[in-house]
Amino acid sequence: MLVDSPPEPRAETAAAPPGRRAIRSIGLLVSVAVLLLVFLASIAVGSKSMSMDQVWHGLFQDTGTYGDVVVGERLARSLLGLLAGVALGLSGAVLQALTRNPLADPGLLGINLGASAAVVSAISFFGVTSLSGYVWFAFTGALLVGVLLYFLGGSRGATPVRLALAGTALSAALYGYLQAVMIMDGAALNKMRFWTVGSLASANMDTIKQVLPFLAIGAVLALCLGRPLNAMAMGEDTARALGAHLTRTRILSMAAATLLCGAATAACGPIVFIGLMVPHIVRSFTGPDMRWILPYAAVLSPVLLLGADVVGRLVARPAELQVGIVTAVIGAPVFIFLVRRRKVAQL
């Protein structure tokens, strides 16, 4: 595990030159435009080919077959991908700042596994079979892990190292429990294996309505943490001198990450590498300023997630690859590249 020491403060974190701020603003607008295009592609691409005219009529005019396909299935799927991408990107960026580890992701602290363990418990012990039932168990599991992690990490005395170590220990314990239940209960294994891959295929408007309040609260909270997280990156003494409240920032960061990651995992399963890759890539051109990393991650993460979902539908027509498989295939070599680049940089 790589846990970095706090980066050296940079002048651009406090006040970037006007020219650079303008470039970042333009880049963010371009990213939003790219997201819109990918979102439209996600609606247009599926097992049955549709032109953009047909998509338009299905969305706004047609109430027949095309309308049912687009509005009832693809629109819900694309909206869930958009929301889940925002949640995973923001939670990854917040956790990387909180642990001061640029290779961290929401899975590092066991939040994903907490949701997974709760879902397999619901299936095995309570007979839950519907996605609407999974959502609440998964969110509760993520929330409990977030609370437990905070106290195991030292609560008010929590440090990045303690949080990372506590997350590793919780992940190992939860993974063992998850495998034990699935091995002993074949029915749970059959039902769970589709959810654990990570997929948008079962998206519907009811699921979106259930998780939307948690995603909205978590997103607003995360976007408001840019300035205090910048202060924490300069070291605890410097942060206190700047007036930052360290304990409050840690609690709010954990709350935001838990709300975002828990709700996204509950809705579409544990999708990996989005929270790792996008914030790390964004940091390479925005610099260390969390006030820019967070909005860029919120926009570009759904671009990656929806793009991976479109690829999964194209490469296996008329069937499809689950988006969790596609992101894993993309993310594994990227993760290896990032680790190797960091090792070279440290030589």
Side-chain angles (χ1 to χ4, degrees):
M1 180 182 299
L2 299 173
V3 179
D4 292 346
S5 58
E8 291 297 323
R10 299 183 186 179
E12 63 180 8
T13 301
R20 183 158 189 177
R21 286 200 299 270
I23 292 173
R24 288 171 173 171
S25 299
I26 294 172
L28 190 58
L29 292 176
V30 172
S31 299
V32 172
V34 172
L35 174 58
L36 178 59
L37 291 176
V38 175
F39 183 82
L40 293 175
S42 179
I43 298 176
V45 175
S47 58
K48 184 175 182 179
S49 299
M50 297 174 66
S51 67
M52 291 307 298
D53 286 340
Q54 292 169 331
V55 172
W56 180 266
H57 284 288
L59 284 172
F60 300 107
Q61 298 180 26
D62 193 359
T63 58
T65 302
Y66 286 128
D68 293 340
V69 171
V70 173
V71 178
E73 298 179 11
R74 296 187 188 176
L75 181 60
R77 181 175 186 152
S78 300
L79 284 173
L80 182 59
L82 173 65
L83 294 173
V86 171
L88 293 172
L90 285 176
S91 61
V94 169
L95 290 176
Q96 287 178 12
L98 183 65
T99 60
R100 300 181 204 166
N101 181 359
L103 299 182
D105 77 332
L108 173 72
L109 301 183
I111 297 175
N112 283 348
L113 281 172
S116 300
V119 169
V120 77
S121 298
I123 294 172
S124 183
F125 303 129
F126 300 101
V128 178
T129 58
S130 66
L131 182 63
S132 59
Y134 296 165
V135 167
W136 294 105
F137 278 92
F139 182 77
T140 302
L143 183 63
L144 289 175
V145 169
V147 173
L148 185 59
L149 177 67
Y150 178 72
F151 286 104
L152 288 178
S155 60
R156 293 191 176 187
T159 64
V161 175
R162 286 183 180 180
L163 288 172
L165 291 175
T168 302
L170 281 174
S171 296
L174 290 168
Y175 182 77
Y177 169 78
L178 186 67
Q179 295 302 309
V181 174
M182 292 175 67
I183 289 173
M184 292 187 296
D185 189 341
L189 174 60
N190 289 332
K191 295 174 183 176
M192 186 72 179
R193 60 194 178 97
F194 296 104
W195 186 83
T196 54
V197 170
S199 172
L200 301 176
S202 300
N204 58 67
M205 289 299 181
D206 288 337
T207 301
I208 293 173
K209 290 176 183 177
Q210 288 178 327
V211 300
L212 184 58
F214 303 106
L215 292 174
I217 294 171
V220 171
L221 188 57
L223 290 170
C224 292
L225 288 170
R227 190 177 297 275
L229 287 174
N230 278 345
M232 286 186 65
M234 299 180 183
E236 294 188 2
D237 293 338
T238 303
R240 290 192 184 94
L242 293 173
H245 195 296
L246 300 184
T247 300
R248 181 175 61 194
T249 300
R250 293 190 184 104
I251 292 174
L252 293 178
S253 297
M254 284 300 305
T258 301
L259 285 169
L260 291 166
C261 185
T265 304
C268 49
I271 297 176
V272 297
F273 288 117
I274 298 290
L276 163 68
M277 288 189 293
V278 176
H280 192 85
I281 294 170
V282 165
R283 194 179 294 107
S284 67
F285 59 82
T286 64
D289 193 343
M290 292 298 296
R291 293 172 298 179
W292 288 101
I293 291 174
L294 289 169
Y296 263 102
V299 173
L300 293 179
S301 293
V303 170
L304 177 58
L305 183 57
L306 289 173
D309 191 44
V310 170
V311 170
R313 281 182 267 174
L314 288 175
V315 299
R317 275 185 171 180
E320 66 178 67
L321 288 178
Q322 305 301 324
V323 67
I325 297 175
V326 179
T327 57
V329 170
I330 297 172
V334 171
F335 181 78
I336 294 171
F337 170 76
L338 294 176
V339 171
R340 288 183 59 84
R341 191 177 71 170
R342 290 187 60 77
K343 286 182 178 180
V344 171
Q346 291 172 358
L347 292 179

PDB file of all heavy atoms in Angstrom, residues 309-341:
ATOM      1  N   ASP A 309     -19.889   1.329 -20.641  1.00  0.00           N
ATOM      2  CA  ASP A 309     -21.158   0.622 -20.831  1.00  0.00           C
ATOM      3  C   ASP A 309     -21.499   0.520 -22.309  1.00  0.00           C
ATOM      4  O   ASP A 309     -21.987  -0.520 -22.776  1.00  0.00           O
ATOM      5  CB  ASP A 309     -22.263   1.346 -20.069  1.00  0.00           C
ATOM      6  CG  ASP A 309     -23.548   0.543 -19.995  1.00  0.00           C
ATOM      7  OD1 ASP A 309     -23.473  -0.677 -19.732  1.00  0.00           O
ATOM      8  OD2 ASP A 309     -24.625   1.123 -20.199  1.00  0.00           O
ATOM      9  N   VAL A 310     -21.237   1.577 -23.059  1.00  0.00           N
ATOM     10  CA  VAL A 310     -21.479   1.538 -24.508  1.00  0.00           C
ATOM     11  C   VAL A 310     -20.570   0.510 -25.169  1.00  0.00           C
ATOM     12  O   VAL A 310     -21.014  -0.279 -26.020  1.00  0.00           O
ATOM     13  CB  VAL A 310     -21.263   2.937 -25.124  1.00  0.00           C
ATOM     14  CG1 VAL A 310     -21.267   2.855 -26.652  1.00  0.00           C
ATOM     15  CG2 VAL A 310     -22.338   3.905 -24.650  1.00  0.00           C
ATOM     16  N   VAL A 311     -19.299   0.489 -24.778  1.00  0.00           N
ATOM     17  CA  VAL A 311     -18.361  -0.499 -25.330  1.00  0.00           C
ATOM     18  C   VAL A 311     -18.832  -1.915 -25.030  1.00  0.00           C
ATOM     19  O   VAL A 311     -18.799  -2.807 -25.890  1.00  0.00           O
ATOM     20  CB  VAL A 311     -16.952  -0.272 -24.752  1.00  0.00           C
ATOM     21  CG1 VAL A 311     -16.015  -1.427 -25.122  1.00  0.00           C
ATOM     22  CG2 VAL A 311     -16.373   1.038 -25.266  1.00  0.00           C
ATOM     23  N   GLY A 312     -19.300  -2.151 -23.799  1.00  0.00           N
ATOM     24  CA  GLY A 312     -19.791  -3.465 -23.432  1.00  0.00           C
ATOM     25  C   GLY A 312     -20.981  -3.913 -24.260  1.00  0.00           C
ATOM     26  O   GLY A 312     -21.164  -5.108 -24.512  1.00  0.00           O
ATOM     27  N   ARG A 313     -21.802  -2.963 -24.705  1.00  0.00           N
ATOM     28  CA  ARG A 313     -22.955  -3.306 -25.538  1.00  0.00           C
ATOM     29  C   ARG A 313     -22.560  -3.531 -26.992  1.00  0.00           C
ATOM     30  O   ARG A 313     -23.247  -4.254 -27.717  1.00  0.00           O
ATOM     31  CB  ARG A 313     -24.000  -2.194 -25.456  1.00  0.00           C
ATOM     32  CG  ARG A 313     -24.832  -2.246 -24.185  1.00  0.00           C
ATOM     33  CD  ARG A 313     -25.883  -1.144 -24.179  1.00  0.00           C
ATOM     34  NE  ARG A 313     -25.400   0.041 -23.498  1.00  0.00           N
ATOM     35  CZ  ARG A 313     -26.067   1.185 -23.449  1.00  0.00           C
ATOM     36  NH1 ARG A 313     -27.227   1.306 -24.069  1.00  0.00           N
ATOM     37  NH2 ARG A 313     -25.583   2.219 -22.791  1.00  0.00           N
ATOM     38  N   LEU A 314     -21.453  -2.919 -27.422  1.00  0.00           N
ATOM     39  CA  LEU A 314     -21.042  -3.033 -28.816  1.00  0.00           C
ATOM     40  C   LEU A 314     -20.243  -4.309 -29.093  1.00  0.00           C
ATOM     41  O   LEU A 314     -20.413  -4.933 -30.143  1.00  0.00           O
ATOM     42  CB  LEU A 314     -20.204  -1.816 -29.224  1.00  0.00           C
ATOM     43  CG  LEU A 314     -20.952  -0.489 -29.385  1.00  0.00           C
ATOM     44  CD1 LEU A 314     -19.971   0.638 -29.672  1.00  0.00           C
ATOM     45  CD2 LEU A 314     -21.993  -0.584 -30.497  1.00  0.00           C
ATOM     46  N   VAL A 315     -19.357  -4.690 -28.188  1.00  0.00           N
ATOM     47  CA  VAL A 315     -18.417  -5.774 -28.470  1.00  0.00           C
ATOM     48  C   VAL A 315     -19.053  -7.148 -28.405  1.00  0.00           C
ATOM     49  O   VAL A 315     -18.477  -8.122 -28.903  1.00  0.00           O
ATOM     50  CB  VAL A 315     -17.210  -5.722 -27.499  1.00  0.00           C
ATOM     51  CG1 VAL A 315     -16.451  -4.423 -27.654  1.00  0.00           C
ATOM     52  CG2 VAL A 315     -17.660  -5.914 -26.053  1.00  0.00           C
ATOM     53  N   ALA A 316     -20.229  -7.275 -27.793  1.00  0.00           N
ATOM     54  CA  ALA A 316     -20.833  -8.599 -27.626  1.00  0.00           C
ATOM     55  C   ALA A 316     -22.258  -8.657 -28.164  1.00  0.00           C
ATOM     56  O   ALA A 316     -23.054  -9.467 -27.713  1.00  0.00           O
ATOM     57  CB  ALA A 316     -20.812  -8.992 -26.149  1.00  0.00           C
ATOM     58  N   ARG A 317     -22.605  -7.796 -29.117  1.00  0.00           N
ATOM     59  CA  ARG A 317     -23.953  -7.801 -29.677  1.00  0.00           C
ATOM     60  C   ARG A 317     -24.316  -9.179 -30.215  1.00  0.00           C
ATOM     61  O   ARG A 317     -23.473  -9.831 -30.825  1.00  0.00           O
ATOM     62  CB  ARG A 317     -24.064  -6.777 -30.814  1.00  0.00           C
ATOM     63  CG  ARG A 317     -24.365  -5.359 -30.350  1.00  0.00           C
ATOM     64  CD  ARG A 317     -24.562  -4.467 -31.561  1.00  0.00           C
ATOM     65  NE  ARG A 317     -25.057  -3.144 -31.178  1.00  0.00           N
ATOM     66  CZ  ARG A 317     -25.314  -2.181 -32.048  1.00  0.00           C
ATOM     67  NH1 ARG A 317     -25.137  -2.390 -33.345  1.00  0.00           N
ATOM     68  NH2 ARG A 317     -25.760  -1.020 -31.648  1.00  0.00           N
ATOM     69  N   PRO A 318     -25.545  -9.653 -30.037  1.00  0.00           N
ATOM     70  CA  PRO A 318     -26.691  -8.987 -29.399  1.00  0.00           C
ATOM     71  C   PRO A 318     -26.690  -9.094 -27.874  1.00  0.00           C
ATOM     72  O   PRO A 318     -27.567  -8.547 -27.224  1.00  0.00           O
ATOM     73  CB  PRO A 318     -27.881  -9.737 -29.990  1.00  0.00           C
ATOM     74  CG  PRO A 318     -27.368 -11.111 -30.216  1.00  0.00           C
ATOM     75  CD  PRO A 318     -25.932 -10.937 -30.633  1.00  0.00           C
ATOM     76  N   ALA A 319     -25.722  -9.833 -27.306  1.00  0.00           N
ATOM     77  CA  ALA A 319     -25.573  -9.861 -25.849  1.00  0.00           C
ATOM     78  C   ALA A 319     -24.770  -8.641 -25.428  1.00  0.00           C
ATOM     79  O   ALA A 319     -24.545  -7.721 -26.217  1.00  0.00           O
ATOM     80  CB  ALA A 319     -24.907 -11.155 -25.407  1.00  0.00           C
ATOM     81  N   GLU A 320     -24.289  -8.616 -24.173  1.00  0.00           N
ATOM     82  CA  GLU A 320     -23.482  -7.492 -23.721  1.00  0.00           C
ATOM     83  C   GLU A 320     -22.547  -7.916 -22.588  1.00  0.00           C
ATOM     84  O   GLU A 320     -22.809  -8.893 -21.884  1.00  0.00           O
ATOM     85  CB  GLU A 320     -24.360  -6.345 -23.240  1.00  0.00           C
ATOM     86  CG  GLU A 320     -25.171  -6.642 -21.999  1.00  0.00           C
ATOM     87  CD  GLU A 320     -25.976  -5.430 -21.544  1.00  0.00           C
ATOM     88  OE1 GLU A 320     -26.907  -5.026 -22.254  1.00  0.00           O
ATOM     89  OE2 GLU A 320     -25.663  -4.908 -20.459  1.00  0.00           O
ATOM     90  N   LEU A 321     -21.450  -7.188 -22.460  1.00  0.00           N
ATOM     91  CA  LEU A 321     -20.561  -7.338 -21.312  1.00  0.00           C
ATOM     92  C   LEU A 321     -20.982  -6.361 -20.233  1.00  0.00           C
ATOM     93  O   LEU A 321     -21.284  -5.201 -20.529  1.00  0.00           O
ATOM     94  CB  LEU A 321     -19.104  -7.061 -21.714  1.00  0.00           C
ATOM     95  CG  LEU A 321     -18.397  -8.096 -22.587  1.00  0.00           C
ATOM     96  CD1 LEU A 321     -16.992  -7.611 -22.915  1.00  0.00           C
ATOM     97  CD2 LEU A 321     -18.334  -9.444 -21.883  1.00  0.00           C
ATOM     98  N   GLN A 322     -21.013  -6.809 -18.993  1.00  0.00           N
ATOM     99  CA  GLN A 322     -21.379  -5.918 -17.896  1.00  0.00           C
ATOM    100  C   GLN A 322     -20.333  -4.821 -17.755  1.00  0.00           C
ATOM    101  O   GLN A 322     -19.136  -5.041 -17.963  1.00  0.00           O
ATOM    102  CB  GLN A 322     -21.512  -6.701 -16.595  1.00  0.00           C
ATOM    103  CG  GLN A 322     -22.469  -7.873 -16.670  1.00  0.00           C
ATOM    104  CD  GLN A 322     -23.875  -7.449 -17.058  1.00  0.00           C
ATOM    105  OE1 GLN A 322     -24.341  -6.391 -16.666  1.00  0.00           O
ATOM    106  NE2 GLN A 322     -24.553  -8.269 -17.833  1.00  0.00           N
ATOM    107  N   VAL A 323     -20.783  -3.645 -17.371  1.00  0.00           N
ATOM    108  CA  VAL A 323     -19.885  -2.495 -17.310  1.00  0.00           C
ATOM    109  C   VAL A 323     -18.764  -2.713 -16.290  1.00  0.00           C
ATOM    110  O   VAL A 323     -17.650  -2.217 -16.471  1.00  0.00           O
ATOM    111  CB  VAL A 323     -20.687  -1.208 -16.990  1.00  0.00           C
ATOM    112  CG1 VAL A 323     -21.262  -1.250 -15.577  1.00  0.00           C
ATOM    113  CG2 VAL A 323     -19.830   0.034 -17.181  1.00  0.00           C
ATOM    114  N   GLY A 324     -19.031  -3.475 -15.219  1.00  0.00           N
ATOM    115  CA  GLY A 324     -17.988  -3.757 -14.242  1.00  0.00           C
ATOM    116  C   GLY A 324     -16.839  -4.539 -14.824  1.00  0.00           C
ATOM    117  O   GLY A 324     -15.667  -4.359 -14.434  1.00  0.00           O
ATOM    118  N   ILE A 325     -17.137  -5.423 -15.796  1.00  0.00           N
ATOM    119  CA  ILE A 325     -16.079  -6.183 -16.459  1.00  0.00           C
ATOM    120  C   ILE A 325     -15.246  -5.266 -17.343  1.00  0.00           C
ATOM    121  O   ILE A 325     -14.011  -5.336 -17.357  1.00  0.00           O
ATOM    122  CB  ILE A 325     -16.694  -7.328 -17.295  1.00  0.00           C
ATOM    123  CG1 ILE A 325     -17.429  -8.313 -16.391  1.00  0.00           C
ATOM    124  CG2 ILE A 325     -15.632  -8.036 -18.113  1.00  0.00           C
ATOM    125  CD1 ILE A 325     -18.174  -9.399 -17.138  1.00  0.00           C
ATOM    126  N   VAL A 326     -15.917  -4.386 -18.079  1.00  0.00           N
ATOM    127  CA  VAL A 326     -15.205  -3.479 -18.987  1.00  0.00           C
ATOM    128  C   VAL A 326     -14.302  -2.529 -18.204  1.00  0.00           C
ATOM    129  O   VAL A 326     -13.130  -2.316 -18.572  1.00  0.00           O
ATOM    130  CB  VAL A 326     -16.198  -2.683 -19.850  1.00  0.00           C
ATOM    131  CG1 VAL A 326     -15.459  -1.727 -20.787  1.00  0.00           C
ATOM    132  CG2 VAL A 326     -17.083  -3.633 -20.657  1.00  0.00           C
ATOM    133  N   THR A 327     -14.805  -1.951 -17.114  1.00  0.00           N
ATOM    134  CA  THR A 327     -13.965  -1.032 -16.326  1.00  0.00           C
ATOM    135  C   THR A 327     -12.792  -1.766 -15.687  1.00  0.00           C
ATOM    136  O   THR A 327     -11.708  -1.197 -15.538  1.00  0.00           O
ATOM    137  CB  THR A 327     -14.789  -0.334 -15.237  1.00  0.00           C
ATOM    138  OG1 THR A 327     -15.408  -1.301 -14.388  1.00  0.00           O
ATOM    139  CG2 THR A 327     -15.856   0.551 -15.853  1.00  0.00           C
ATOM    140  N   ALA A 328     -12.987  -3.032 -15.310  1.00  0.00           N
ATOM    141  CA  ALA A 328     -11.880  -3.802 -14.748  1.00  0.00           C
ATOM    142  C   ALA A 328     -10.814  -4.077 -15.798  1.00  0.00           C
ATOM    143  O   ALA A 328      -9.606  -3.986 -15.522  1.00  0.00           O
ATOM    144  CB  ALA A 328     -12.390  -5.116 -14.160  1.00  0.00           C
ATOM    145  N   VAL A 329     -11.253  -4.415 -17.020  1.00  0.00           N
ATOM    146  CA  VAL A 329     -10.304  -4.672 -18.109  1.00  0.00           C
ATOM    147  C   VAL A 329      -9.511  -3.411 -18.442  1.00  0.00           C
ATOM    148  O   VAL A 329      -8.299  -3.452 -18.694  1.00  0.00           O
ATOM    149  CB  VAL A 329     -11.052  -5.192 -19.350  1.00  0.00           C
ATOM    150  CG1 VAL A 329     -10.130  -5.228 -20.561  1.00  0.00           C
ATOM    151  CG2 VAL A 329     -11.622  -6.579 -19.078  1.00  0.00           C
ATOM    152  N   ILE A 330     -10.192  -2.268 -18.435  1.00  0.00           N
ATOM    153  CA  ILE A 330      -9.512  -0.999 -18.701  1.00  0.00           C
ATOM    154  C   ILE A 330      -8.666  -0.581 -17.504  1.00  0.00           C
ATOM    155  O   ILE A 330      -7.525  -0.126 -17.640  1.00  0.00           O
ATOM    156  CB  ILE A 330     -10.536   0.107 -19.017  1.00  0.00           C
ATOM    157  CG1 ILE A 330     -11.302  -0.226 -20.298  1.00  0.00           C
ATOM    158  CG2 ILE A 330      -9.851   1.467 -19.148  1.00  0.00           C
ATOM    159  CD1 ILE A 330     -12.451   0.722 -20.578  1.00  0.00           C
ATOM    160  N   GLY A 331      -9.213  -0.738 -16.307  1.00  0.00           N
ATOM    161  CA  GLY A 331      -8.570  -0.193 -15.116  1.00  0.00           C
ATOM    162  C   GLY A 331      -7.344  -0.938 -14.663  1.00  0.00           C
ATOM    163  O   GLY A 331      -6.402  -0.326 -14.142  1.00  0.00           O
ATOM    164  N   ALA A 332      -7.293  -2.260 -14.832  1.00  0.00           N
ATOM    165  CA  ALA A 332      -6.150  -3.028 -14.337  1.00  0.00           C
ATOM    166  C   ALA A 332      -4.830  -2.584 -14.965  1.00  0.00           C
ATOM    167  O   ALA A 332      -3.869  -2.284 -14.250  1.00  0.00           O
ATOM    168  CB  ALA A 332      -6.394  -4.525 -14.553  1.00  0.00           C
ATOM    169  N   PRO A 333      -4.730  -2.501 -16.303  1.00  0.00           N
ATOM    170  CA  PRO A 333      -3.465  -2.022 -16.872  1.00  0.00           C
ATOM    171  C   PRO A 333      -3.163  -0.566 -16.530  1.00  0.00           C
ATOM    172  O   PRO A 333      -2.005  -0.191 -16.363  1.00  0.00           O
ATOM    173  CB  PRO A 333      -3.656  -2.210 -18.381  1.00  0.00           C
ATOM    174  CG  PRO A 333      -5.114  -2.332 -18.591  1.00  0.00           C
ATOM    175  CD  PRO A 333      -5.661  -2.953 -17.357  1.00  0.00           C
ATOM    176  N   VAL A 334      -4.213   0.252 -16.423  1.00  0.00           N
ATOM    177  CA  VAL A 334      -3.985   1.650 -16.037  1.00  0.00           C
ATOM    178  C   VAL A 334      -3.425   1.724 -14.624  1.00  0.00           C
ATOM    179  O   VAL A 334      -2.501   2.494 -14.345  1.00  0.00           O
ATOM    180  CB  VAL A 334      -5.289   2.459 -16.144  1.00  0.00           C
ATOM    181  CG1 VAL A 334      -5.118   3.858 -15.544  1.00  0.00           C
ATOM    182  CG2 VAL A 334      -5.728   2.570 -17.592  1.00  0.00           C
ATOM    183  N   PHE A 335      -3.968   0.914 -13.708  1.00  0.00           N
ATOM    184  CA  PHE A 335      -3.476   0.894 -12.332  1.00  0.00           C
ATOM    185  C   PHE A 335      -2.009   0.458 -12.295  1.00  0.00           C
ATOM    186  O   PHE A 335      -1.189   1.050 -11.585  1.00  0.00           O
ATOM    187  CB  PHE A 335      -4.334  -0.045 -11.497  1.00  0.00           C
ATOM    188  CG  PHE A 335      -3.915  -0.120 -10.047  1.00  0.00           C
ATOM    189  CD1 PHE A 335      -4.252   0.895  -9.174  1.00  0.00           C
ATOM    190  CD2 PHE A 335      -3.198  -1.195  -9.565  1.00  0.00           C
ATOM    191  CE1 PHE A 335      -3.870   0.842  -7.842  1.00  0.00           C
ATOM    192  CE2 PHE A 335      -2.816  -1.269  -8.244  1.00  0.00           C
ATOM    193  CZ  PHE A 335      -3.156  -0.250  -7.380  1.00  0.00           C
ATOM    194  N   ILE A 336      -1.653  -0.588 -13.056  1.00  0.00           N
ATOM    195  CA  ILE A 336      -0.264  -1.054 -13.106  1.00  0.00           C
ATOM    196  C   ILE A 336       0.645   0.049 -13.636  1.00  0.00           C
ATOM    197  O   ILE A 336       1.735   0.289 -13.108  1.00  0.00           O
ATOM    198  CB  ILE A 336      -0.157  -2.319 -13.971  1.00  0.00           C
ATOM    199  CG1 ILE A 336      -0.899  -3.482 -13.301  1.00  0.00           C
ATOM    200  CG2 ILE A 336       1.302  -2.692 -14.211  1.00  0.00           C
ATOM    201  CD1 ILE A 336      -1.024  -4.709 -14.181  1.00  0.00           C
ATOM    202  N   PHE A 337       0.174   0.754 -14.671  1.00  0.00           N
ATOM    203  CA  PHE A 337       0.961   1.855 -15.231  1.00  0.00           C
ATOM    204  C   PHE A 337       1.186   2.955 -14.202  1.00  0.00           C
ATOM    205  O   PHE A 337       2.303   3.483 -14.061  1.00  0.00           O
ATOM    206  CB  PHE A 337       0.253   2.414 -16.458  1.00  0.00           C
ATOM    207  CG  PHE A 337       0.840   3.702 -16.972  1.00  0.00           C
ATOM    208  CD1 PHE A 337       2.024   3.709 -17.685  1.00  0.00           C
ATOM    209  CD2 PHE A 337       0.211   4.919 -16.714  1.00  0.00           C
ATOM    210  CE1 PHE A 337       2.572   4.902 -18.145  1.00  0.00           C
ATOM    211  CE2 PHE A 337       0.742   6.101 -17.168  1.00  0.00           C
ATOM    212  CZ  PHE A 337       1.925   6.093 -17.886  1.00  0.00           C
ATOM    213  N   LEU A 338       0.141   3.301 -13.453  1.00  0.00           N
ATOM    214  CA  LEU A 338       0.260   4.357 -12.452  1.00  0.00           C
ATOM    215  C   LEU A 338       1.228   3.967 -11.347  1.00  0.00           C
ATOM    216  O   LEU A 338       2.043   4.778 -10.894  1.00  0.00           O
ATOM    217  CB  LEU A 338      -1.112   4.681 -11.865  1.00  0.00           C
ATOM    218  CG  LEU A 338      -2.137   5.296 -12.814  1.00  0.00           C
ATOM    219  CD1 LEU A 338      -3.483   5.463 -12.117  1.00  0.00           C
ATOM    220  CD2 LEU A 338      -1.648   6.623 -13.368  1.00  0.00           C
ATOM    221  N   VAL A 339       1.145   2.702 -10.903  1.00  0.00           N
ATOM    222  CA  VAL A 339       2.048   2.239  -9.851  1.00  0.00           C
ATOM    223  C   VAL A 339       3.483   2.248 -10.336  1.00  0.00           C
ATOM    224  O   VAL A 339       4.393   2.705  -9.635  1.00  0.00           O
ATOM    225  CB  VAL A 339       1.643   0.831  -9.380  1.00  0.00           C
ATOM    226  CG1 VAL A 339       2.697   0.253  -8.448  1.00  0.00           C
ATOM    227  CG2 VAL A 339       0.294   0.879  -8.670  1.00  0.00           C
ATOM    228  N   ARG A 340       3.729   1.770 -11.559  1.00  0.00           N
ATOM    229  CA  ARG A 340       5.087   1.737 -12.097  1.00  0.00           C
ATOM    230  C   ARG A 340       5.628   3.153 -12.283  1.00  0.00           C
ATOM    231  O   ARG A 340       6.797   3.420 -12.014  1.00  0.00           O
ATOM    232  CB  ARG A 340       5.124   0.978 -13.416  1.00  0.00           C
ATOM    233  CG  ARG A 340       4.944  -0.533 -13.262  1.00  0.00           C
ATOM    234  CD  ARG A 340       5.064  -1.237 -14.601  1.00  0.00           C
ATOM    235  NE  ARG A 340       6.359  -0.998 -15.210  1.00  0.00           N
ATOM    236  CZ  ARG A 340       7.466  -1.686 -14.935  1.00  0.00           C
ATOM    237  NH1 ARG A 340       7.422  -2.664 -14.045  1.00  0.00           N
ATOM    238  NH2 ARG A 340       8.594  -1.405 -15.540  1.00  0.00           N
ATOM    239  N   ARG A 341       4.776   4.064 -12.735  1.00  0.00           N
ATOM    240  CA  ARG A 341       5.226   5.443 -12.923  1.00  0.00           C
ATOM    241  C   ARG A 341       5.607   6.078 -11.601  1.00  0.00           C
ATOM    242  O   ARG A 341       6.584   6.813 -11.508  1.00  0.00           O
ATOM    243  CB  ARG A 341       4.136   6.263 -13.611  1.00  0.00           C
ATOM    244  CG  ARG A 341       4.639   7.635 -14.076  1.00  0.00           C
ATOM    245  CD  ARG A 341       3.578   8.374 -14.815  1.00  0.00           C
ATOM    246  NE  ARG A 341       2.510   8.831 -13.943  1.00  0.00           N
ATOM    247  CZ  ARG A 341       1.551   9.664 -14.325  1.00  0.00           C
ATOM    248  NH1 ARG A 341       1.516  10.119 -15.564  1.00  0.00           N
ATOM    249  NH2 ARG A 341       0.610  10.022 -13.477  1.00  0.00           N
TER     250      ARG A 341
END
